[in-house]
């Protein structure tokens, strides 16, 4: 593809400099035109490091640049809504870090603002762009494990000692459900191809960490008596796993949310010997950038425009269940 999407990077968070910016530069469809920070010294340093043409000392300057087609927003969660809406108002397409908002109301406002502005909005769940996900969907759709019955997803790590981490700021959208629980939750919506009916979640809210949920586990009910059993945590041993159970087999996916090249395999169990599937490896951040640009150029979104709203509705229902310690109906 010869056409290039000209990106502006709104903020210099580690996810931007460590993963997304290198991926855009590696992509077939993108080029980074500018980077902005709240101070020119920081953005100038990042621009020099990445060989970027323009650095700005404010986000407003970035949005005013007519040579920026799209912006990537890696700001803290509580700032997503404001800056996505402002970016849409400036006519910029938007890739916003997950979770896209603090709640479904904010997400709906963002989706509507982008719809009115005629710009593409996507939530940055990079794992969904890894080729392995399409292979999983194909096996499920073809009946490779029979009828889909249940999904189990886990994602935990331990960073509890870093009490200054923004992930531990309640008003900023901190907590394990926002940060990593969103991965198994969105994966279940994707693989079931359906919307949840109810949730029951138990969580550990830590006074040492501004009362955010440092660990959560729960059941998400889907139509047909199917369910997701999940846990997530920021104060537990590091692990990831996704298990998809059918009537005639199951799929076990190690490292389901961070896989790249050497760890793209997964395992299918059924009649006979377990089958190791050596899925095609890829950098999901590069895939994400190319899928985003293709959606902009063709006008055909990779995923439904309302998807971020549905994601946030599920996350906020899980938090409500954990706080109220009761089952929350979503129908």
């Amino acid at each position: 593809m010869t056409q290039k999407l000209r990106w502006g990077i709104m903020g210099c968070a580690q996810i931007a400099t460590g993963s997304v910016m290198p991926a855009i530069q590696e992509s077939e469809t993108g080029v980074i035109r500018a980077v902005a920070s709240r101070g020119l010294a920081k953005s100038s340093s990042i621009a020099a490091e990445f060989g970027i043409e323009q650095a700005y000392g404010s986000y407003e300057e970035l949005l005013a640049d007519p040579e920026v087609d799209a912006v990537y927003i890696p700001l803290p969660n509580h700032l997503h809504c404001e800056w996505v809406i402002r970016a849409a108002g400036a006519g910029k397409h938007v890739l916003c870090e997950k979770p896209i908002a603090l709640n479904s109301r904010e997400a709906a406002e963002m989706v509507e603002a982008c719809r009115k502005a005629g710009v593409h909005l996507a939530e940055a769940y990079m794992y969904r762009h890894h080729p392995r996900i399409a292979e999983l969907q194909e096996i499920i759709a073809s009946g490779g494990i029979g009828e889909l019955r249940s999904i189990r997803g886990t994602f935990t790590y331990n960073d509890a000692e870093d009490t200054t981490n923004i992930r531990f700021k309640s008003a900023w959208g901190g907590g394990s459900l926002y940060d990593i629980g969103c991965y198994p939750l969105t994966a279940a919506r994707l693989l079931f191809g359906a919307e949840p009916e109810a949730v029951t979640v138990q969580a550990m809210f830590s006074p040492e960490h501004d009362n955010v949920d440092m660990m959560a586990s729960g059941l998400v009910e889907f139509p047909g008596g199917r369910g997701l059993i999940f846990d997530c945590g920021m104060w537990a041993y590091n692990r990831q796993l996704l298990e998809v159970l059918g009537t005639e087999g199951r799929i076990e996916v190690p490292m389901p949310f961070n896989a790249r090249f050497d760890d793209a395999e997964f395992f299918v169990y059924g009649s006979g010997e377990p089958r190791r599937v050596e899925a095609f490896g890829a950098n999901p951040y590069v895939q994400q950038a190319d899928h985003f640009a293709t959606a902009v150029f063709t006008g055909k979104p990779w995923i439904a425009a309302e998807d971020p709203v549905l994601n946030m509705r599920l996350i906020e229902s899980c938090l409500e269940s954990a706080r109220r310690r009761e089952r929350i109906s979503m129908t």
Side-chain angles (χ1 to χ4, degrees):
M1 182 177 290
T2 57
Q3 190 175 7
K4 296 287 187 179
L5 189 69
R6 300 171 297 179
W7 287 89
I9 310 300
M10 188 179 290
C12 301
Q14 196 279 329
I15 186 65
T17 58
S19 298
V20 175
M21 291 172 66
I24 291 173
Q25 292 183 318
E26 187 181 334
S27 71
E28 296 180 1
T29 58
V31 60
I32 303 176
R33 150 68 186 169
V35 60
S37 185
R38 289 172 296 178
L40 187 58
K42 177 67 172 178
S43 58
S44 295
S45 174
I46 296 298
E49 178 184 348
F50 284 88
I52 298 169
E53 179 180 355
Q54 183 66 57
Y56 291 115
S58 71
Y59 306 142
E60 289 87 352
E61 291 177 283
L62 177 69
L63 294 182
D65 187 337
E67 295 187 32
V68 169
D69 304 312
V71 294
Y72 166 64
I73 300 179
L75 301 174
N77 299 339
H78 69 299
L79 298 177
H80 289 178
C81 185
E82 174 189 355
W83 287 103
V84 166
I85 291 174
R86 293 180 70 167
K92 312 300 185 187
H93 304 283
V94 185
L95 175 64
C96 183
E97 260 310 323
K98 60 80 197 164
I100 201 167
L102 297 183
N103 51 58
S104 59
R105 175 190 55 79
E106 284 189 354
E109 291 175 1
M110 297 153 79
V111 168
E112 180 62 14
C114 290
R115 185 194 65 79
K116 285 184 176 179
V119 298
H120 179 54
L121 171 65
E123 190 173 13
Y125 283 108
M126 82 299 177
Y127 80 93
R128 298 190 296 193
H129 300 269
H130 195 287
R132 183 167 64 173
I133 294 296
E135 292 195 44
L136 289 173
Q137 290 178 295
E138 183 177 346
I139 291 173
I140 294 169
S142 67
I145 56 170
E147 295 182 35
L148 186 55
R149 287 288 185 256
S150 177
I151 296 174
R152 179 168 62 97
T154 66
F155 196 166
T156 56
Y157 66 86
N158 191 342
D159 200 20
E161 292 185 3
D162 182 16
T163 55
T164 62
N165 195 310
I166 63 169
R167 294 175 179 84
F168 304 151
K169 292 183 180 292
S170 182
W172 289 21
S176 66
L177 282 162
Y178 278 123
D179 188 44
I180 51 176
C182 55
Y183 285 97
L185 293 174
T186 56
R189 286 190 55 246
L190 184 66
L191 296 178
F192 276 130
E195 296 307 319
E197 297 179 331
V199 300
T200 306
V201 177
Q202 167 77 7
M204 179 184 72
F205 294 96
S206 170
E208 301 171 53
H209 303 88
D210 198 27
N211 290 306
V212 303
D213 57 297
M214 292 296 287
M215 184 79 197
S217 57
L219 168 66
V220 182
E221 301 171 34
F222 283 85
R226 303 175 300 173
L228 163 72
I229 299 170
F230 79 94
D231 64 74
C232 58
M234 304 186 295
W235 201 351
Y237 185 77
N238 294 9
R239 81 204 210 290
Q240 288 186 40
L241 183 68
L242 189 67
E243 181 186 51
V244 183
L245 178 66
T247 55
E248 299 174 17
R250 69 182 178 93
I251 305 170
E252 187 175 291
V253 188
M255 291 299 292
F257 308 119
N258 291 127
R260 295 201 179 192
F261 292 92
D262 297 334
D263 50 4
E265 65 183 15
F266 59 91
F267 304 88
V268 181
Y269 298 83
S271 58
E273 292 296 317
R275 179 164 62 96
R276 175 181 174 181
V277 180
E278 295 186 3
F280 179 74
N283 182 334
Y285 292 98
V286 174
Q287 299 286 107
Q288 176 178 251
D290 282 331
H291 288 163
F292 184 93
T294 299
V296 169
F297 296 148
T298 65
K300 297 178 181 179
W302 184 82
I303 201 162
E306 294 298 318
D307 184 71
V309 181
L310 298 171
N311 286 337
M312 288 312 309
R313 182 167 178 258
L314 177 52
I315 293 170
E316 70 184 353
S317 295
C318 288
L319 277 167
E320 181 183 0
S321 174
R323 288 173 178 142
R324 293 170 56 177
R325 299 179 66 87
E326 62 183 55
R327 178 178 180 269
I328 300 297
S329 174
M330 296 180 62
T331 58

